[in-house]
Amino acid sequence: MESSSADSSTILDRILDAAADNLRIAKILVQMGLDPNNITYDALFNRLLEIVLANITLANMFALVGAIFLVATLLMHTMVPLRVANMAGCTFFVAFGALSGNVGTFILYLLLLPINAIRLRQMLNLIKRARIATEGDTSLEWLKPFMTERKYRSGDKLFKKDDAATEMFLTVTGKFLVTEISVEIPPGRLMGELGFLTPNKRRTATVECIEDGQVLTITYERLLEIYFQNPQFGYYFLVLTSQRLLENISRLEGIVAQEKAARQTLATDDIA
């Protein structure tokens, strides 16, 4: 038993010594083809240069360029250039995988290419809609795929004034009434978008369903996601909300003008 224990201890010591030798700088220098007893800066630099030149191949060059593009994506703040750089990096890594015979790398980056292409197309469509908005077309067809359907019956209240605002509505069918100002909202109009802009995220009016209808909804969190994916959407949304504010101002001016005319009529009658 004592002999067996001694043998095990000797074997363990040898294993530890071998592991220690492999971690020494001298061992590393030997593996690099350098003499540990005669090492200089020039010798080290020249040897590293030889190793780099020996590994310069077309496949490795593709991998290097691909890595540069993928690292560049980490420095980008907007999605469109990020997707373009990612697709370029994936293309170079596909070439690297094909030339080097690395099947895993080839398949991985080949699958990433169409995914990035689809996302890039979605972003470009969003930009196109945003540019159309700047020219006066405020169609919301592009936003519908991001929204969910909801139905209301006559008498249902979508939200009340001063309620917490968490989502925006797009009317599809039916009729809805802004009770504070007695204004009907027909199909194809936004509701609840102003709550997205108010500092306290509260409803500015009450909306009631006066005829069975259907709406599409989207949460403010989803709107923020779309905005951060493409800041141009911010301008698009600004155009939509500005249009609503201008309509409200025009409506108020009409009411003020009517009241002013009524007062002038009463004053004229009193004088007469």
Side-chain angles (χ1 to χ4, degrees):
M1 290 293 292
E2 292 179 0
S3 176
S4 177
S5 298
D7 292 340
S8 299
S9 177
T10 302
I11 294 173
L12 181 60
D13 289 338
R14 290 179 180 178
I15 293 174
L16 293 175
D17 290 339
D21 289 338
N22 289 332
L23 295 176
R24 293 176 181 175
I25 296 178
K27 187 68 175 180
I28 296 174
L29 294 174
V30 170
Q31 291 176 350
M32 291 176 60
L34 297 170
D35 183 5
N37 299 319
N38 186 24
I39 184 67
T40 63
Y41 174 80
D42 290 337
L44 180 61
F45 177 79
N46 291 332
R47 181 53 184 161
L48 291 175
L49 183 61
E50 289 177 5
I51 294 174
V52 171
L53 293 176
N55 286 279
I56 292 179
T57 62
L58 184 60
N60 288 339
M61 291 302 296
F62 277 125
L64 176 62
V65 177
I68 292 173
F69 274 106
L70 292 183
V71 171
T73 61
L74 302 176
L75 305 176
M76 296 178 180
H77 299 286
T78 54
M79 290 300 295
V80 171
L82 187 150
R83 293 293 181 186
V84 172
N86 202 301
M87 289 178 64
C90 290
T91 301
F92 282 104
F93 271 110
V94 167
F96 163 74
L99 293 175
S100 64
N102 192 324
V103 178
T105 300
F106 177 80
I107 294 177
L108 172 63
Y109 288 98
L110 187 64
L111 292 175
L112 289 176
L113 270 174
I115 295 174
N116 281 285
I118 292 171
R119 293 301 186 188
L120 177 61
R121 182 178 180 182
Q122 291 176 342
M123 289 298 102
L124 292 177
N125 287 336
L126 192 61
I127 292 174
K128 182 179 178 181
R129 293 294 183 180
R131 289 175 177 170
I132 292 174
T134 63
E135 298 172 0
D137 183 0
T138 54
S139 171
L140 290 172
E141 291 296 323
W142 64 273
L143 193 58
K144 290 182 178 180
F146 300 97
M147 307 181 83
T148 56
E149 179 182 335
R150 191 178 299 168
K151 295 181 179 180
Y152 288 95
R153 293 183 178 181
S154 179
D156 292 343
K157 283 185 170 57
L158 281 70
F159 49 81
K160 298 179 181 179
K161 185 177 180 180
D162 295 327
D163 281 352
T166 59
E167 59 187 351
M168 183 178 73
F169 301 80
L170 175 64
T171 58
V172 179
T173 60
K175 292 182 181 180
F176 302 87
L177 178 70
V178 182
T179 57
E180 284 79 4
I181 56 177
S182 299
V183 172
E184 290 189 9
I185 301 177
R189 297 291 300 275
L190 279 179
M191 298 185 298
E193 78 281 8
L194 295 181
F196 181 66
L197 301 176
T198 56
N200 58 357
K201 295 292 187 296
R202 295 287 176 178
R203 296 299 185 189
T204 58
T206 301
V207 174
E208 179 182 354
C209 178
I210 58 176
E211 181 182 294
D212 293 0
Q214 172 189 348
V215 301
L216 296 175
T217 68
I218 183 171
T219 63
Y220 293 160
E221 287 80 5
R222 190 72 179 100
L223 286 176
L224 284 174
E225 289 178 8
I226 297 174
Y227 168 76
F228 284 117
Q229 288 176 357
N230 189 345
Q232 291 195 30
F233 169 71
Y235 187 83
Y236 186 99
F237 191 78
L238 180 62
V239 172
L240 295 175
T241 53
S242 296
Q243 183 182 34
R244 172 62 62 85
L245 290 173
L246 290 174
E247 290 176 356
N248 291 342
I249 291 173
S250 177
R251 186 180 299 111
L252 290 174
E253 288 177 345
I255 294 173
V256 170
Q258 291 178 357
E259 291 181 352
K260 185 177 180 179
R263 289 177 182 176
Q264 289 178 348
T265 302
L266 290 174
T268 302
D269 292 342
D270 291 340
I271 293 173

